[in-house]
Amino acid sequence: MKNIFKRAAKGAHVPHLKNTSDVATVDMPLPSKIVLSMQQHIGAPAQPVVEKGDEVCVGSLVGKEGGFVSAPIYSGVSGTVTDVREMLTSNGGKATCVEITPDGKQTVDPAIAPPMINTYEEFTAAVRASGLVGLGGAGFPTSVKLTLKNFDTVDTLVINGAECEPYITADNREFLEHPEDIMSGIAAVQKWCQIKNVIIGIEANKPEAIKTMSSLCAGQSSVTVKELPSVYPQGAEKILIESCTGREVPRGGLPSDAGCIVMNVGSIAFLARYLATGMPLTARRLTVDGDLIADKKNVNVIIGTPIQEVIDFCGGATGEIGEIIMGGPMMGLSVMDPSVSTLKQNNAILVMSREKATLPEANACIHCGRCIEACPMGLSPVMAAKAYRLEKVEELDKLMVDLCMDCGCCTFVCPAKRPVSGTMKLAKAMQKKGAKK
Ligand code: SF4
Ligand code: SF4
């Protein structure tokens, strides 16, 4: 069944709350320890290559990739490995983690050197060795994304600078602080993956970023900037592709089925820095915000830093905390314990009051259809909820609930305050289970 709608025309007008757009990134001092989860990406967990008592440097390998869809993990501090065991992580699960106590010297691993690249295979190997995963929140290993069956399958690189979730401004700061790195990363991917066109998609609520990138792209026929409407979830991969190229990713398909690769702006800028220096992914920019954060800012944080230490660096909370969210308020994850550590794909820490975090009481559905109007995937959450209640798996399949991307637009617009996207999650699980029978 083909979807006959314009995905990009839908969505929700969520508040922007980009409080830190104009706040330049600051480096956080060394934390008391870092805890590196071996499961910081989609795919197989990394395998620890260090033991308790080992000494490591900045950029030392700590976990090697556990398969093709995986990524290596590196230390962002020099110091001593003080623990290797299963621990709770910020995405709510448990994983093998490596704890390192810094020695304060920040000695760089002597093996760090820019990669030598003469072929496409050497390029993808270098991307793999960099430890890069999608820094916009997805955590998909970049080397897998850039491994093409043949160069004819993809003609367009879409740079995701939409940053459509409220509060988060980490990508906006990348545009303003390191635009040359972005252009250099684009040039590398264009060259080695033989990409004809590049479109940098930026939401209209980032005028400075649009201006900066447009001026750098002037005179480059193959790289253009596309101003996107500020409608959530403009940065969702399928929506972004449609907004930037007019192409639709088919049901169950990948961006490459629409001839595209999508890379987050932070990822492409990091890639340029890695190719120039050989320093793998050990730190990243986080937006620290929320109604309770005393000093809202963008912070360059060593990956694995305890969340509580990042919050303390930003002045701590000004009241009783209701919820800490890793990522944005629409699709982020609630953090149960602030002593857990940051992961590669975490782009924000939001500290919310009880008042902001408490969900309103749900009322009966009034069949207003707003959830249908808002769904960017053209789904009918209200009908899916009924089919779920009646356990009609075939109906769920017809309603294409597998296309739901958990964006939360339906919940956001529902006047009855129903947990619509939560029901969609359950419906998807029921459809999947039914499909396996
Ligand atoms: S938006 Fe809420 S009240 Fe309206 S149809 Fe959807 S679930 Fe029902
Ligand atoms: S959460 Fe799913 S059903 Fe709800 S609006 Fe987003 S894609 Fe549509």
Side-chain angles (χ1 to χ4, degrees):
M1 196 191 295
K2 184 168 165 56
N3 263 339
I4 44 166
F5 59 89
K6 230 20 195 172
R7 289 168 179 162
K10 297 195 168 193
H13 290 274
V14 301
H16 299 163
L17 302 166
K18 304 284 189 184
N19 306 312
T20 54
S21 293
D22 299 330
V23 186
T25 311
V26 292
D27 288 333
M28 187 177 154
L30 274 183
S32 64
K33 63 177 180 182
I34 61 169
V35 176
L36 295 166
S37 166
M38 296 294 106
Q39 184 70 80
Q40 316 205 21
H41 46 259
I42 289 172
Q47 303 297 321
V49 295
V50 291
E51 292 177 351
K52 194 171 171 180
D54 285 353
E55 299 292 321
V56 294
C57 298
V58 177
S60 295
L61 182 71
V62 165
K64 63 175 185 192
E65 65 265 44
F68 177 65
V69 183
S70 186
I73 315 273
Y74 297 89
S75 176
V77 298
S78 61
T80 309
V81 176
T82 38
D83 212 349
V84 181
R85 67 181 164 87
E86 196 174 75
M87 298 183 205
L88 189 67
T89 67
S90 69
N91 53 16
K94 282 191 169 177
T96 302
C97 294
V98 173
E99 180 189 283
I100 303 166
T101 302
D103 59 14
K105 296 178 190 158
Q106 288 302 83
T107 312
V108 173
D109 192 309
I112 299 292
M116 296 288 290
I117 300 173
N118 293 302
T119 63
Y120 168 69
E121 287 72 24
E122 286 173 357
F123 174 68
T124 52
V127 176
R128 173 168 289 268
S130 75
L132 181 59
V133 302
L135 298 181
F140 189 76
T142 306
S143 61
V144 179
K145 198 177 268 196
L146 296 180
T147 301
L148 307 174
K149 284 193 196 110
N150 65 66
F151 294 124
D152 297 334
T153 52
V154 169
D155 64 3
T156 304
L157 170 66
V158 179
I159 301 298
N160 192 348
E163 203 161 55
C164 55
E165 279 256 17
Y167 293 105
I168 308 175
T169 63
D171 287 349
N172 186 45
R173 292 312 308 175
E174 193 73 53
F175 280 124
L176 301 183
E177 295 173 21
H178 301 291
E180 287 84 8
D181 289 349
I182 296 166
M183 296 306 287
S184 170
I186 287 171
V189 175
Q190 259 196 301
K191 175 181 172 184
W192 295 112
C193 298
Q194 299 185 18
I195 305 276
K196 293 189 190 80
N197 308 306
V198 181
I199 303 170
I200 306 172
I202 310 176
E203 268 197 7
N205 63 1
K206 299 169 195 61
E208 283 302 310
I210 292 171
K211 201 168 133 196
T212 303
M213 296 314 296
S214 298
S215 100
L216 280 179
C217 294
Q220 290 212 29
S221 56
S222 65
V223 188
T224 52
V225 175
K226 172 96 180 168
E227 182 175 321
L228 306 169
S230 299
V231 181
Y232 176 84
Q234 201 60 235
E237 209 163 57
K238 292 183 175 107
I239 311 297
L240 184 74
I241 288 172
E242 197 164 305
S243 290
C244 288
T245 67
R247 301 174 190 168
E248 185 180 307
V249 178
R251 184 181 184 186
L254 295 168
S256 56
D257 295 314
C260 296
I261 294 173
V262 179
M263 284 185 74
N264 167 263
V265 63
S267 302
I268 198 92
F270 162 78
L271 183 57
R273 293 191 280 271
Y274 173 73
L275 296 175
T277 66
M279 177 56 73
L281 184 63
T282 59
R284 66 154 302 151
R285 183 186 296 104
L286 292 173
T287 300
V288 187
D289 202 335
D291 64 321
L292 282 193
I293 274 289
D295 189 7
K296 306 172 200 310
K297 54 185 154 194
N298 280 292
V299 188
N300 196 32
V301 175
I302 294 172
I303 293 161
T305 296
I307 290 170
Q308 186 62 57
E309 294 191 27
V310 182
I311 294 172
D312 292 343
F313 177 65
C314 297
T318 56
E320 193 191 346
I321 297 175
E323 188 179 22
I324 297 171
I325 303 169
M326 290 302 292
M330 299 298 286
M331 291 189 77
L333 288 175
S334 198
V335 174
M336 298 302 162
D337 179 353
S339 69
V340 298
S341 298
T342 62
L343 304 173
K344 288 177 184 179
Q345 66 266 46
N346 296 147
N347 54 1
I349 297 173
L350 305 180
V351 183
M352 314 301 283
S353 63
R354 199 166 289 280
E355 187 196 344
K356 292 267 181 205
T358 307
L359 293 172
E361 204 173 311
N363 295 306
C365 173
I366 56 170
H367 302 286
C368 64
R370 282 190 211 171
C371 53
I372 302 171
E373 281 166 28
C375 179
M377 298 306 289
L379 306 179
S380 174
V382 63
M383 286 167 74
K386 188 175 172 194
Y388 169 72
R389 232 181 9 258
L390 299 173
E391 297 187 16
K392 291 193 169 176
V393 177
E394 271 182 33
E395 189 65 20
L396 290 175
D397 197 48
K398 277 190 205 151
L399 291 166
M400 301 189 288
V401 295
D402 50 293
L403 285 177
C404 171
M405 54 187 181
D406 304 321
C407 69
C409 285
C410 46
T411 302
F412 181 81
V413 299
C414 177
K417 308 296 175 205
R418 298 189 64 74
V420 197
S421 55
T423 308
M424 285 300 286
K425 259 198 181 98
L426 298 171
K428 269 196 294 183
M430 183 183 277
Q431 182 207 20
K432 204 169 168 190
K433 204 170 153 200
K436 275 188 192 156
K437 277 182 188 167

